[in-house]
Amino acid sequence: MTTSPTSAAPPTSAPTGDRPPLRLELHAGAKGSTDGTWWPRSRDLPTEAADLLDHFPESAGRINRLLFSRPDWDNATEDGHSLHRVIARRGPVKIGSFPSDDTHLMILSMASGQRLRLDVVPSDVDEAEGERRMRASAEGTDLG
């Protein structure tokens, strides 16, 4: 399933290499406590965060920093310490984490000063469940 943001034009850059398009849903208006939903394809934080940074819709703004929930990722630490940056095609971007929460959120600090809150759908959910959660997000209903 590929979704495009509902509040912005589709991403202008194509996926890198064999990467399929982002599974991202941005809300057109306030729909609950989040601004959208992202369904990454793996639990590899550096790879998925770089993909999000490089293919986030330009019309939605430029991401300056990411804050993530550690339990969503297998490699959120490096040498026992939280990752502090991710390398994207556009260059390094600072990242940080919520040390012990399990909120399944990614908070994007935008160049405009705005903060966007994305629900993170676990990458390992089956296709039907992932699609259901993306639809629920688009409709502004609970993902649970």
Side-chain angles (χ1 to χ4, degrees):
M1 171 184 155
T2 301
T3 62
S4 60
T6 56
S7 65
T12 56
S13 54
T16 307
D18 294 332
R19 299 278 305 174
L22 284 177
R23 296 184 291 193
L24 176 69
E25 197 62 59
L26 295 178
H27 302 155
K31 291 188 177 188
S33 62
T34 63
D35 301 294
T37 303
W38 176 41
W39 182 15
R41 298 187 182 278
S42 75
R43 292 179 52 89
D44 182 333
L45 179 61
T47 298
E48 298 300 332
D51 191 41
L52 178 66
L53 289 161
D54 288 336
H55 298 104
F56 195 74
E58 288 179 21
S59 59
R62 180 178 170 92
I63 302 169
N64 278 352
R65 183 181 168 109
L66 300 172
L67 290 172
F68 62 92
S69 176
R70 283 189 197 176
D72 291 332
W73 309 100
D74 289 335
N75 54 355
T77 61
E78 185 173 69
D79 299 325
H81 301 285
S82 180
L83 290 176
H84 294 288
R85 69 182 181 143
V86 68
I87 306 298
R89 277 195 339 241
R90 61 173 243 207
V93 174
K94 288 184 179 184
I95 63 172
S97 67
F98 313 112
S100 60
D101 80 325
D102 194 12
T103 60
H104 304 293
L105 285 176
M106 178 75 73
I107 298 179
L108 316 177
S109 294
M110 309 302 288
S112 66
Q114 179 182 18
R115 294 184 113 187
L116 300 178
R117 296 169 49 93
L118 300 179
D119 283 312
V120 177
V121 175
S123 62
D124 60 354
V125 301
D126 66 50
E127 195 75 18
E129 176 63 11
E131 289 176 5
R132 184 196 70 75
R133 290 184 185 198
M134 295 299 285
R135 272 192 315 276
S137 172
E139 296 166 359
T141 57
D142 184 19
L143 298 184

